Amino acid sequence: SANYSSTMGSQGPARSVATSGDLSVGNSKSFSFDELYEITGGFSRDKLLGEGGFGCVFKGTLGDGREVAVKQLKGGGGQGEREFQAEVEIISRVHHRHLVSLVGYCISEDHRLLVYDFVANDTMHHNLHGRGRPVMDWPTRVKIAAGSARGLAYLHEDCHPRIIHRDIKSSNILLDDNFEAQVADFGLARLAENDVTHVSTRVMGTFG
């Protein structure tokens, strides 16, 4: 099951973040590429949890038995590298029970990887639309919606500077053993300026 000890009950001010180029931020750990290669079975298809435009996510188990999800971004810099830097900086500065917990990261030549706590019950999208999944009852749906809203409200209102997700969708909401929501994937997040009171109307995120 997922480990939420680093996020539960902590909703205070966002911690400071290291400047660009120094990614040893928050409680995130620096992993070597070899470590992550080993725990994912060489990024085996058998360990694949999902894939998208950013790259692939693999399941792994650390030496202490902790289950993690390793996000391997598409290499070669460009958008993948910027997305990586945005995620590390943003997630390392926030801690909330309804936001995905970042365990660590890896920078190795062209490789950019993020390591998260593994969240046991997949995504909201999978639970709503996956083949053979039971119909989700309304109390559970309301709980997930409320948890997601609390996580987003923390990002949008309580972080300093504020953080705008800009790509919220059912596949970016992970569910733990108790079907509590964990908002994930801050790859398109941008920091809102402190003196800006309205969210930009420019189209962002994923179509469809």
Side-chain angles (χ1 to χ4, degrees), residues 3-208:
N3 183 336
Y4 304 108
S5 60
S6 61
T7 58
M8 293 292 287
S10 176
Q11 300 184 26
R15 65 179 63 207
S16 61
V17 66
T19 57
S20 178
D22 178 6
L23 295 177
S24 296
V25 291
N27 294 322
S28 58
K29 175 184 176 182
S30 175
F31 290 92
S32 71
F33 182 80
D34 288 344
E35 284 180 278
L36 300 184
Y37 186 88
E38 181 177 353
I39 69 170
T40 58
F43 302 106
S44 165
R45 299 294 294 184
D46 293 338
K47 299 279 190 177
L48 184 66
L49 295 173
E51 54 188 319
F54 59 81
C56 299
V57 181
F58 299 86
K59 186 177 180 180
T61 305
L62 300 180
D64 61 2
R66 185 179 190 177
E67 292 183 307
V68 294
V70 180
K71 178 186 289 188
Q72 184 181 39
L73 300 180
K74 291 181 177 178
Q79 181 181 0
E81 182 174 351
R82 289 194 299 271
E83 179 174 297
F84 171 84
Q85 291 173 337
E87 289 217 36
V88 171
E89 292 182 3
I90 291 169
I91 297 176
S92 293
R93 72 173 67 184
V94 295
H95 297 278
H96 188 278
R97 63 176 299 191
H98 292 296
L99 299 175
V100 69
S101 178
L102 182 69
V103 176
Y105 61 92
C106 172
I107 305 173
S108 177
E109 298 179 350
D110 286 340
H111 300 293
R112 301 289 185 271
L113 302 100
L114 296 167
V115 183
Y116 300 99
D117 272 328
F118 175 71
V119 183
N121 271 331
D122 214 299
T123 67
M124 182 179 178
H125 183 274
H126 172 77
N127 280 276
L128 289 175
H129 306 295
R131 179 175 297 179
R133 298 296 302 171
V135 176
M136 186 180 292
D137 61 49
W138 279 106
T140 301
R141 294 177 188 229
V142 171
K143 179 170 73 170
I144 293 169
S148 302
R150 291 187 187 103
L152 289 171
Y154 177 77
L155 290 174
H156 293 176
E157 302 295 337
D158 295 332
C159 285
H160 302 286
R162 292 172 295 151
I163 298 167
I164 308 301
H165 190 292
R166 293 194 179 183
D167 194 26
I168 193 66
K169 54 188 177 183
S170 60
S171 58
N172 281 342
I173 299 172
L174 306 181
L175 304 177
D176 70 10
D177 287 324
N178 297 315
F179 284 87
E180 293 285 354
Q182 299 265 316
V183 178
D185 200 347
F186 294 86
L188 292 178
R190 297 292 183 269
L191 300 182
E193 297 296 335
N194 288 329
D195 58 352
V196 175
T197 57
H198 298 285
V199 176
S200 169
T201 57
R202 185 162 62 95
V203 176
M204 297 292 290
T206 306
F207 289 99

